[in-house]
Amino acid sequence: MSDQLKFIVEKLNKEPFKKNYSLITFDSLEPMQLLQVLNDILAEIDPKHSVDIREEMPDQTAKRMLNILGILKYKPPGNTGDMSVFRQGLVIGSKPVIHPLLYWLLQRTSELKKRAYLSRFLVRLEIPEEFLQEDVIETYNQYEELMENFKVIHKECEQLKSSGFSTAEIRRDISAMEEEKDQLIKRVERLKKRVETVQNHQRMLEIARQLRVEKEREESLAQQKQEQKNQLFHAEQRLQRAQNQLKNIRHTAADAKPEGLLKRLEEEMKFNSYMVSEKLPKELDSKRQTLHFLQKVVSEPAMNHDDLTEVEDKIQEVNMQINQLIENRMRNDPMDDKLSLFRQQAAIIARKKETKADELQEAKEEIANLEREISQKSSQAQDIDGSEILRGDEFKHYVSKLRFKTTQYKKKRQELSELTVEYGILQRTEEILKQQHDNTQQQLQIIEQKKGILGYSDTQEELERVSALKSEVDEMKGKTLDDMSEMVKKLNSKIADKKSALAPVIKELRPLRQRCQELTQEHDENKTQYDGCAAGLESNRSKLEQDVRALREECSQAESQYHYINLMKTSVETQIQRAADEMKAYVSPDSQERRKAIREQYSRHILEQENLGKTLKEKQKLVKESHAPNMKQVKMWKDIEKLMDCKKLCFQKQQNQTSIGQVIQGGGEDLLIL
């Protein structure tokens, strides 16, 4: 709960609320302030709820909040799962009801904003059937079509928003595509000019077009073939699953006997008949009773404090009557009721029967779930490796094959361990040989040093290695020189061919360069014109968006004013109805009805208060009359208290003097003894 409160306070202290609460201040909020905080959050989700709850009736506030919470699909937690308890807690601003609601709203504010926005357009209007005539049906059908179109357009808009494209990127893509288009047009014109010089170019173009069509057809046929292969593969998988199911059913039916099947069917029939005739009707009746009770609670108006006290008094009276009946029943002799024992046994058996039926139903559901999981796992296994689930003899064969493979694995593992041991021995021999080689090298160096030719063996090895490298480098140089000469010849021939081939193209390219410069200038001029036109259109679009935004705000204000007027109308109607009921109760000849009138209640209260005032005035008069002697008596008691204090002090002084004299006398005696 503390984590929940911390989260709520953090969210309320941030944008857009900025409440500046602490945990203590938030926890000490009054019910009306807590309801105002809830209303502020609902106003942030849907702006039409931005009202001051102090200017609104409690039943209207509860109705409005319950309506928006129903649209937002809020489900109360377990401790406030009863809707009557939740409704009463919402009306009085109870913390156990409001705190989980605030936590739920602040967790998913953006999602709920979207839901509230969509509810303005997607919540259907409930029209009675007697009003659904021809014109109304046509308009209602148009309304439903517009709602479906709105759904489609909203989905497309969300997809475009989530796609991540921006207007600048789209414009860049459009400009790049236009440039590519211009280049392609130029390339096509160039190719057309080249092709026009060729004989029978029309026929060749037609053949090329037919070739392209046939290639596209070939690709589509290949795609269809692949799709049909996939369909065939899925159909084979379904057939294989059906065959496996049929095999399982036959396997289960092979061991079954007619008597067992009949017995099982009789048990299922008894269970189903019990469920249909006894258990389900009871549950249905209980659900209907709870529904009727909830509808009755919802249809009743908001309860005041007086209504709550009346209901509590009635509950106490009914409880007292129940206790009296229980006492009367306990006073009677239980031996008189001969059927009580059998009734208790029947009730126990019925409860056991219900529990066993529930357990059987749960077991059946669990078996069905396990069968579904088994089928899903088998299908997943078949999809992964394409193999079936092994059963019976196939599983035994698989186990024997697995045992053979395990024996082979153990043999190979033993061979591997032997090889690793041999590898370790070889490594050790290599190290020993290296040590021996190092020792011989050291001995050779000592001998060379004694002879005066230190480093002779190293220089000889180095000279042999350098001579070998030199011979290899000489061979590589000869090969590379030959290759380079051949490559130079080939490059010179290729350059000459390219020059001869590019000479006419260069001649054609010179006028095209001039044309390109002219076109670039023309493109720059057109681009400046296009940018200016685009800027003007952008400004017009922004103005139109501002106008649309202003009109939407006016529309929302008009809607809020309309709803406010409707609410005021309903409040005035309820006040008029209350006044009429009050007048009816006041005028009615029945004394009980007249007592329920507010005027009678207030007149009784006024009489009670007047009587109370009279008694208080009499008490005041008595107090005034007895004030002087009472004050005199208080003064006398204070004087007595002072006298007693004085006597007490004198007595204490006398006691102190006597104790000092005794001490002095005792000291003198001690001195005499010494």
Side-chain angles (χ1 to χ4, degrees):
M1 195 67 185
S2 61
D3 296 335
Q4 195 179 74
L5 286 175
K6 285 179 183 178
F7 178 78
I8 294 167
V9 171
E10 286 177 1
K11 287 290 184 181
L12 289 174
N13 291 334
K14 293 179 182 177
E15 291 284 344
F17 304 107
K18 290 185 177 179
K19 295 291 185 180
N20 293 325
Y21 286 143
S22 64
L23 287 173
I24 297 168
T25 55
F26 179 75
D27 193 42
S28 62
L29 288 177
E30 295 180 356
M32 288 294 290
Q33 294 175 346
L34 203 59
L35 283 173
Q36 187 63 47
V37 171
L38 175 61
N39 193 74
D40 293 340
I41 296 170
L42 292 175
E44 178 64 25
I45 293 169
D46 193 357
K48 67 182 181 182
H49 291 277
S50 60
V51 294
D52 193 352
I53 60 171
R54 293 175 294 182
E55 300 175 358
E56 195 176 27
M57 297 294 290
D59 53 352
Q60 294 176 356
T61 305
K63 186 177 179 182
R64 178 171 57 81
M65 288 184 177
L66 287 171
N67 187 15
I68 185 66
L69 291 175
I71 290 169
L72 299 177
K73 294 183 179 179
Y74 173 69
K75 292 181 180 179
N79 53 359
T80 56
D82 192 359
M83 285 305 296
S84 61
V85 176
F86 177 73
R87 189 170 181 272
Q88 291 176 2
L90 188 65
V91 170
I92 64 175
S94 176
K95 290 181 182 179
V97 174
I98 302 294
H99 285 175
L101 179 55
L102 294 175
Y103 182 72
W104 186 80
L105 290 171
L106 293 169
Q107 263 187 331
R108 43 182 71 81
T109 307
S110 59
E111 179 184 350
L112 296 177
K113 279 183 181 180
K114 184 178 177 181
R115 190 183 290 279
Y117 168 72
L118 293 175
S119 66
R120 294 170 56 192
F121 307 101
L122 298 180
V123 175
R124 295 182 181 274
L125 297 173
E126 295 181 359
I127 299 173
E129 293 183 357
E130 58 267 17
F131 294 110
L132 290 173
Q133 299 176 359
E134 294 181 358
D135 298 334
V136 179
I137 288 170
E138 289 179 359
T139 53
Y140 192 74
N141 291 329
Q142 290 178 1
Y143 166 70
E144 288 182 345
E145 289 176 359
L146 290 171
M147 193 177 287
E148 294 296 328
N149 291 329
F150 175 77
K151 287 180 183 177
V152 174
I153 292 166
H154 181 71
K155 285 181 182 177
E156 291 177 356
C157 180
E158 290 295 325
Q159 288 176 359
L160 288 172
K161 285 181 179 178
S162 61
S163 62
F165 290 111
S166 62
T167 54
E169 290 179 356
I170 293 167
R171 284 175 182 171
R172 284 197 296 271
D173 293 337
I174 289 167
S175 61
M177 289 168 72
E178 286 178 353
E179 290 177 359
E180 289 179 359
K181 181 182 175 184
D182 294 335
Q183 291 176 2
L184 289 171
I185 290 168
K186 290 176 182 178
R187 194 176 296 171
V188 168
E189 289 177 354
R190 197 180 301 131
L191 291 171
K192 280 182 179 179
K193 288 179 182 179
R194 289 185 182 178
V195 170
E196 285 175 357
T197 57
V198 181
Q199 294 180 356
N200 297 326
H201 65 278
Q202 291 292 338
R203 189 166 177 278
M204 292 174 73
L205 288 171
E206 187 67 27
I207 291 166
R209 193 177 295 112
Q210 290 177 2
L211 178 64
R212 187 179 68 252
V213 171
E214 291 297 328
K215 283 185 177 180
E216 290 176 355
R217 187 181 174 189
E218 183 182 0
E219 289 178 357
S220 64
L221 289 171
Q223 190 174 1
Q224 289 177 4
K225 184 179 178 183
Q226 187 64 32
E227 289 176 357
Q228 288 177 0
K229 279 184 179 180
N230 293 329
Q231 290 175 2
L232 180 63
F233 177 70
H234 291 303
E236 287 177 353
Q237 282 186 344
R238 286 198 296 271
L239 178 63
Q240 195 173 5
R241 289 174 196 154
Q243 287 176 354
N244 291 328
Q245 289 177 1
L246 181 62
K247 192 189 293 182
N248 294 329
I249 292 166
R250 285 177 179 173
H251 182 70
T252 53
D255 299 332
K257 294 181 180 180
E259 293 83 3
L261 291 172
L262 285 171
K263 190 175 180 182
R264 195 184 302 164
L265 288 171
E266 285 176 358
E267 289 176 356
E268 288 183 358
M269 188 174 73
K270 286 180 182 178
F271 175 71
N272 291 327
S273 62
Y274 168 72
M275 292 290 290
V276 171
S277 61
E278 294 182 10
K279 188 178 180 185
L280 292 176
K282 287 181 182 178
E283 292 181 356
L284 188 62
D285 291 335
S286 65
K287 296 289 183 185
R288 282 176 181 169
Q289 287 177 1
T290 54
L291 180 64
H292 178 68
F293 178 71
L294 291 172
Q295 287 177 352
K296 189 176 179 181
V297 170
V298 171
S299 62
E300 288 179 356
M303 299 179 74
N304 296 327
H305 185 69
D306 298 332
D307 297 332
L308 289 172
T309 54
E310 288 180 3
V311 171
E312 287 176 355
D313 295 335
K314 287 181 182 178
I315 290 167
Q316 289 179 358
E317 290 177 0
V318 172
N319 288 327
M320 290 171 66
Q321 291 176 3
I322 290 166
N323 292 326
Q324 288 177 1
L325 290 171
I326 291 167
E327 289 176 358
N328 293 327
R329 188 175 179 183
M330 294 294 290
R331 285 171 192 164
N332 295 326
D333 190 3
M335 295 299 291
D336 296 338
D337 192 3
K338 295 179 180 180
L339 297 174
S340 62
L341 181 62
F342 299 105
R343 284 174 184 166
Q344 290 177 0
Q345 291 178 356
I348 292 165
I349 291 166
R351 282 197 293 273
K352 287 183 178 179
K353 194 175 181 181
E354 287 179 358
T355 54
K356 293 297 180 184
D358 293 332
E359 289 175 359
L360 182 60
Q361 188 70 24
E362 290 175 358
K364 283 186 175 181
E365 290 177 356
E366 189 175 358
I367 288 166
N369 292 325
L370 290 172
E371 286 178 353
R372 281 198 297 272
E373 287 181 1
I374 288 165
S375 62
Q376 288 177 1
K377 296 292 183 183
S378 61
S379 62
Q380 287 177 3
Q382 288 178 1
D383 291 335
I384 290 166
D385 55 359
S387 60
E388 298 180 1
I389 294 173
L390 302 175
R391 299 178 187 274
D393 297 332
E394 294 177 355
F395 184 72
K396 290 179 182 177
H397 181 65
Y398 174 73
V399 169
S400 63
K401 191 188 289 185
L402 189 63
R403 285 174 182 169
F404 176 70
K405 286 184 178 179
T406 52
T407 54
Q408 282 187 347
Y409 168 72
K410 288 178 181 178
K411 288 179 182 178
K412 299 292 183 184
R413 192 171 180 180
Q414 190 175 1
E415 290 177 1
L416 184 62
S417 62
E418 290 175 357
L419 289 171
T420 51
V421 171
E422 190 175 355
Y423 175 70
I425 293 166
L426 291 171
Q427 277 187 341
R428 180 60 182 164
T429 53
E430 185 182 2
E431 289 177 358
I432 292 165
L433 291 171
K434 282 182 179 179
Q435 287 178 1
Q436 290 177 0
H437 177 68
D438 293 335
N439 293 327
T440 53
Q441 287 289 332
Q442 288 177 2
Q443 290 176 2
L444 183 62
Q445 287 178 1
I446 291 165
I447 293 165
E448 287 177 354
Q449 190 174 4
K450 287 180 180 179
K451 299 291 183 180
I453 51 171
L454 184 62
Y456 174 75
S457 59
D458 294 334
T459 54
Q460 189 175 1
E461 289 177 0
E462 189 69 26
L463 287 170
E464 289 176 357
R465 191 172 62 80
V466 169
S467 62
L469 287 172
K470 186 174 181 299
S471 61
E472 289 177 1
V473 169
D474 292 335
E475 289 177 0
M476 289 292 292
K477 280 183 180 180
K479 288 180 181 179
T480 51
L481 288 171
D482 295 334
D483 293 336
M484 287 173 70
S485 62
E486 289 179 0
M487 192 176 286
V488 167
K489 288 179 182 178
K490 287 180 182 178
L491 288 172
N492 288 325
S493 62
K494 283 183 181 180
I495 289 165
D497 294 334
K498 293 289 183 182
K499 280 183 180 180
S500 60
L502 288 171
V505 177
I506 290 166
K507 288 180 182 179
E508 292 178 359
L509 186 63
R510 287 171 184 169
L512 290 173
R513 283 180 178 171
Q514 294 178 358
R515 178 66 178 163
C516 179
Q517 290 177 358
E518 293 174 359
L519 288 172
T520 50
Q521 290 177 359
E522 188 177 355
H523 173 263
D524 293 334
E525 292 174 358
N526 291 327
K527 191 174 182 182
T528 52
Q529 291 177 2
Y530 170 76
D531 292 335
C533 183
L537 291 171
E538 188 71 25
S539 62
N540 291 328
R541 187 178 68 81
S542 62
K543 288 179 182 177
L544 290 171
E545 284 180 354
Q546 290 177 359
D547 295 337
V548 168
R549 199 178 295 114
L551 291 171
R552 281 182 179 173
E553 289 177 357
E554 289 179 1
C555 181
S556 64
Q557 288 176 1
E559 284 180 356
S560 63
Q561 191 174 4
Y562 168 72
H563 291 303
Y564 177 72
I565 291 166
N566 278 334
L567 292 171
M568 293 297 292
K569 181 183 175 184
T570 53
S571 66
V572 169
E573 287 176 355
T574 52
Q575 290 175 1
I576 291 167
Q577 186 65 33
R578 285 182 181 176
D581 295 337
E582 177 68 19
M583 198 69 191
K584 186 178 178 181
Y586 182 70
V587 175
S588 68
D590 192 2
S591 61
Q592 296 292 330
E593 290 289 331
R594 205 180 300 140
R595 279 193 175 189
K596 291 181 181 178
I598 297 170
R599 184 171 180 179
E600 291 291 332
Q601 292 178 4
Y602 278 119
S603 62
R604 286 199 298 273
H605 284 302
I606 288 165
L607 287 172
E608 290 174 359
Q609 296 296 324
E610 285 178 353
N611 294 326
L612 183 64
K614 287 178 181 178
T615 55
L616 291 172
K617 282 181 180 178
E618 290 176 358
K619 286 182 180 180
Q620 186 181 9
K621 187 176 180 183
L622 291 171
V623 168
K624 284 181 179 179
E625 289 175 355
S626 61
H627 179 68
N630 287 334
M631 290 299 292
K632 188 175 180 181
Q633 192 173 2
V634 167
K635 187 177 179 183
M636 291 169 70
W637 278 109
K638 285 182 179 179
D639 293 337
I640 289 168
E641 186 178 0
K642 287 179 182 178
L643 286 170
M644 294 300 290
D645 290 335
C646 184
K647 285 183 178 181
K648 183 180 177 183
L649 289 170
C650 293
F651 181 71
Q652 287 177 355
K653 285 180 181 179
Q654 188 177 1
Q655 277 188 346
N656 291 328
Q657 287 175 0
T658 55
S659 62
I660 290 164
Q662 289 175 359
V663 168
I664 293 166
Q665 189 176 0
E669 290 176 357
D670 293 335
L671 289 169
L672 289 171
I673 290 165
L674 289 170

